[in-house]
Structure formats: C-alpha cells, structure tokens
Amino acid sequence: MVPGLNGEQLRIVLVKKIKKDTQLTRAGRKPFDNFGIVNPPIYRTSTVLFKNIKELSKAITNRFNQTYYGRYGTPTTFALEEGIKEIENGYRTIATSSGMSSISVSLLSCLSKDDRCLISDCTYYPTKKFATKILSKFGVETSFYDPSNLDTLKKKITKKTKVIFMESPASLTFEIEDMSEIIKIAKKKKIITIVDNSWATPFYFSPINIGIDISILAATKYISGHADTMLGLITVKNEKLFLKIKDTAVSLGDCPGPQECYLSLHGLRTLSTRLEHHRSSALKIARLLENNDKVFKVLHPALPKNDNYELWNKYFTGSTGLFSFILKEKSKNKVYKMIDKLKLFKLGFSWGGYESLILPVFPKKERKIAKWNEKGVLLRIHVGLEDIDDLIEDLFTAFKL
Ligand SMILES: *Cc1c(COP(=O)(O)O)cnc(C)c1O
C-alpha cells in the first residue's frame, strides 16, 4: 500500500502509471465479478426488477449509476463506458447509438433557444448539416470558422456563443486546429468546447487532458474497428455536463444495443496493434505518393512537409490510416476509370475497419468560410491492415504512378 492513499486514490496512481497499451487491455474489466470470465457478457434487457419499494425508490434517484431500465444501459454498456472513461481520463463516458448521435446529443444538450454555436468549417458534413438544419429549428444560430485562421473564430464570438465545435484533423482535408488556443479563448467567455476525435482516438490524443470539455468518438470507426458496428461515445470533463448529456440521450431515446457495446469493447482491446499497423502503412504510402511526379499534393498531417505538421506534432502522438491526396490528372473521368481498376482499395464511406478504402470527395460545395480551391479530384484513402506491398502495388498500378 502507498501510505496516506485510499483505494480510489491508489487506483488513480496505478492507472496513471501504466502505459496506454496496458490500459487498453484492462480498462472497464471486472472479470471476478463474473465467474472469472475475461470479457463481460452481452446483457440484454428492457426490464430491470427491484426487490421491494425501498430498492425501487433508491433506483429512481440513483438511475445513472446502476441498472435501472434498458434505455439507461446494461452492464455491457457500463463496462464500455467505464473503459473509455479511463482511457480518455474523463469524468464519465456516455455511449450512444452512433457517432452522429453522440454529436447531435451533445450539441442539443449544450445549446438553447437564442444561443449561438461555432463550428469549424472543415468539420464532418453531417455535423454541419445537423446544426444548420435541425438546431436552427429550435432557435440556435450556427456560424463557421476557418480552423487555419483563428481570427475568423474570434470575430464571430458574441455573448450568445455557447459552444465551439472542433474536429482535428478536419474531415477530408486534414487541417489541424490549435485547440489549446481555442480553449483559452473559450474559457474566458465560458464557452463549452467539443472536439470530434474520431481520427486519432484517445490512443494518440487525449482531448480532456488539454482542457476540452467534451470529447466525441465515432466508435463505428477505429474503436470497433471491424466495419460491423454503429456506436458513438461522449466523454465529459465534469458531472454537470454528464448529467445534462445523459438526460438528453435518455430523453431522445438514444441507446446503443448491447451487442454494439460488446463489439466496441472487443475492438478496444486490440486498438493499439491495429492503429500501429494503420499508422505505419499509411505513412509509407503517403511518403511514396509525396515523392511521385504524378501526384500534386498529399494531405497527411504527419508528413513534415505538410502545412499542418507542427500543429499535429504539438497535439498527437501518432497518426492513423486516413488521409487524402490529389493527382496531377485533372480529368474526373480519367481518375474515376483508374479508381475502378483498384482491386484491394474498395469504394466506401465508413473507414476504421481492417479493409482499405478509397473515395473521391468534394469539399468545395461544403465550405462557407475556408474555401477549397484545388482543381484536381481529392481522393480520400483509408489504409487498412492488408500487406503493405500488396496495397502499394494495387494503388500504383491503378493510378499508373
Ligand atoms: C463517421 C464519422 C462520424 C459519424 O459516425 P457514425 O457512427 O457513422 O454516425 C462523425 N465524425 C467523424 C469525423 C466521422 O468520420
């Protein structure tokens, strides 16, 4: 025992000491509460029974901390939430039915009529659409800032601004935000900061540790990691935010299925091994593309030549498998024909699984402030867990590189 520390303090000391790889194999597990079985079972329920009126009354006031009703979660949900909370170093985590629902539930919880919301213009398009199409119906006004120019953020802050929503790196174009600077500005004005950290995951960047209030993960992507699960995770810094967001999730009827929670926990255990493979293969391909005459530009923040490299290096301990590039070839049809020649890189949206993907993407029409003026076709790729030589051959043959 460490003298002077109680059990909880000791646990914190121990958790802080262990490295992230070890933490991923431990977080949220209680095998000896369940016959020594390594993984928690998939608990399915709608009804939870109470022994007597006293127990029922206790459950009503304690409903966010125990089994209470299916919609509030089962022990499978709690195991996942506890595990992610530990890895994120947050106060608590709330699991929801998708990455998008984690975003909408968080925004709805923190914004009321006449409030204003500021969102990075390079954010995942469905997030922007939720704000402009749905939040607007409830009297919340949204404006956008350029993540590469914080003056555009400062200029838009008013007394009514209640939330700043970041995504770093940005969807499709991989701009990195100077989050500590944004947090400083937000704290002075009591604005809640939210970041979508789906790309890096808490394995490579922990938003709560730098002072972000709410960290969101589309667990659909790397956490579950096998292209078979829809799930979102919201980790909050304090109890006030937890109560507000959990209450909104329950009121909206947003609850992930126990199978999805189980699969996300299952994925979490191998996250470090998978990410390391995604990271190194993606970097190898990015470097080859960067040095190829037929490639116009590579948008990968961990390449030292990338405009975002310094900021990336300030916040992230690793990069993952998703990045974009532009060929010099400007004809859309010619590029499309090359894409159709690919055998291993498949056409698909939801990245983070074991398989390599490619997608032509068009940021121009989504932007309001951070204009996108590149002429060539932007190709977003997700580098999967296949053999790197096979992937290089597939890509370089199809694109005649
Ligand atoms: C995919 C994605 C989401 C949405 O996740 P879903 O689980 O598909 O709803 C949110 N943010 C980012 C950055 C994503 O890539």
Side-chain angles (χ1 to χ4, degrees):
M1 282 296 285
V2 179
L5 293 186
N6 65 28
E8 176 62 11
Q9 287 164 336
L10 183 64
R11 197 189 62 77
I12 290 168
V13 170
L14 290 175
V15 165
K16 287 230 163 106
K17 261 195 196 157
I18 63 173
K19 302 277 192 296
K20 273 193 177 170
D21 285 87
T22 312
Q23 213 180 8
L24 286 175
T25 69
R26 295 287 183 280
R29 281 179 50 205
K30 288 180 187 150
F32 295 105
D33 286 1
N34 184 44
F35 311 104
I37 290 166
V38 173
N39 293 300
I42 299 174
Y43 283 97
R44 310 195 61 90
T45 198
S46 54
T47 318
V48 173
L49 302 178
F50 307 99
K51 281 181 192 154
N52 50 43
I53 289 290
K54 192 174 159 215
E55 292 287 311
L56 170 67
S57 312
K58 197 179 113 203
I60 292 169
T61 52
N62 194 42
R63 63 192 183 285
F64 294 153
N65 304 310
Q66 66 171 86
T67 44
Y68 174 70
Y69 180 83
R71 189 160 16 98
Y72 288 69
T74 74
T76 320
T77 327
F78 305 151
L80 171 66
E81 290 174 338
E82 180 65 23
I84 297 293
K85 179 212 89 170
E86 275 183 38
I87 291 157
E88 289 262 19
N89 198 24
Y91 169 72
R92 273 180 81 166
T93 297
I94 300 157
T96 71
S97 56
S98 69
M100 201 49 231
S101 82
S102 281
I103 292 166
S104 53
V105 164
S106 300
L107 288 172
L108 277 170
S109 305
C110 300
L111 292 157
S112 308
K113 188 170 177 290
D114 297 330
D115 286 347
R116 288 195 177 178
C117 175
L118 257 170
I119 301 182
S120 158
D121 200 22
C122 305
T123 297
Y124 183 61
Y125 184 66
T127 302
K128 293 170 68 178
K129 191 172 152 209
F130 173 76
T132 51
K133 294 264 159 70
I134 312 284
L135 288 177
S136 60
K137 290 207 257 184
F138 303 100
V140 175
E141 198 181 300
T142 299
S143 40
F144 299 99
Y145 66 93
D146 180 349
S148 306
N149 178 2
L150 290 192
D151 284 342
T152 62
L153 172 100
K154 288 177 195 155
K155 271 189 202 145
K156 293 209 169 129
I157 292 178
T158 71
K159 274 192 189 132
K160 291 181 171 178
T161 308
K162 292 288 150 59
V163 167
I164 297 177
F165 190 102
M166 296 164 245
E167 186 182 297
S168 188
S171 271
L172 312 184
T173 45
F174 301 89
E175 290 84 356
I176 305 284
E177 304 200 42
D178 200 348
M179 293 174 274
S180 302
E181 287 306 308
I182 297 177
I183 292 166
K184 264 190 228 157
I185 300 166
K187 283 224 163 100
K188 275 190 215 143
K189 315 252 174 184
K190 296 206 167 76
I191 299 170
I192 295 171
T193 49
I194 308 181
V195 70
D196 182 336
N197 190 34
S198 302
W199 181 86
T201 83
F203 191 68
Y204 287 140
F205 170 57
S206 307
I208 303 281
N209 286 349
I210 68 157
I212 293 275
D213 296 308
I214 302 170
S215 165
I216 289 175
L217 291 170
T220 305
K221 310 284 169 54
Y222 283 128
I223 305 292
S224 65
H226 292 72
D228 55 2
T229 307
M230 298 298 300
L231 194 118
L233 294 159
I234 308 166
T235 302
V236 295
K237 199 165 80 174
N238 58 38
E239 185 183 21
K240 194 172 152 200
L241 285 170
F242 169 76
L243 292 173
K244 207 152 76 162
I245 297 174
K246 180 72 187 175
D247 206 41
T248 309
V250 166
S251 301
L252 287 173
D254 187 320
C255 57
Q259 174 104 1
E260 281 67 21
C261 292
Y262 182 89
L263 288 171
S264 300
L265 261 178
H266 203 259
L268 185 67
R269 304 303 174 204
T270 56
L271 183 68
S272 69
T273 321
R274 289 185 288 109
L275 281 188
E276 176 51 30
H277 194 132
H278 288 296
R279 186 195 67 77
S280 79
S281 293
L283 263 179
K284 266 185 204 152
I285 293 179
R287 286 196 190 109
L288 286 174
L289 291 171
E290 189 181 41
N291 293 318
N292 191 291
D293 290 346
K294 292 184 178 166
V295 176
F296 172 64
K297 208 179 212 176
V298 180
L299 305 175
H300 188 310
L303 291 177
K305 276 188 209 153
N306 189 284
D307 294 342
N308 294 282
Y309 178 75
E310 264 177 46
L311 273 181
W312 172 81
N313 210 22
K314 177 173 169 187
Y315 295 103
F316 298 85
T317 56
S319 55
T320 57
L322 192 78
F323 68 96
S324 296
F325 66 99
I326 307 169
L327 295 170
K328 282 186 184 157
E329 176 58 66
K330 296 230 168 34
S331 154
K332 219 192 225 180
N333 284 339
K334 280 191 186 152
V335 175
Y336 285 0
K337 277 196 186 126
M338 296 178 191
I339 293 175
D340 281 340
K341 290 209 173 77
L342 287 162
K343 291 190 172 69
L344 296 176
F345 283 85
K346 301 291 187 195
L347 276 168
F349 290 101
S350 187
W351 46 273
Y354 47 78
E355 189 172 44
S356 291
L357 301 172
I358 189 159
L359 200 68
V361 290
F362 303 93
K364 194 182 175 93
K365 56 186 179 194
E366 300 176 0
R367 298 291 175 80
K368 295 195 164 52
I369 305 292
K371 296 283 184 220
W372 181 256
N373 294 317
E374 302 289 3
K375 296 279 183 295
V377 185
L378 186 64
L379 297 169
R380 189 190 72 176
I381 61 171
H382 178 250
V383 179
L385 303 179
E386 302 91 339
D387 181 274
I388 180 67
D389 295 332
D390 289 346
L391 289 179
I392 291 168
E393 185 172 326
D394 191 39
L395 200 64
F396 283 61
T397 308
F399 289 120
K400 302 194 190 84
L401 298 172

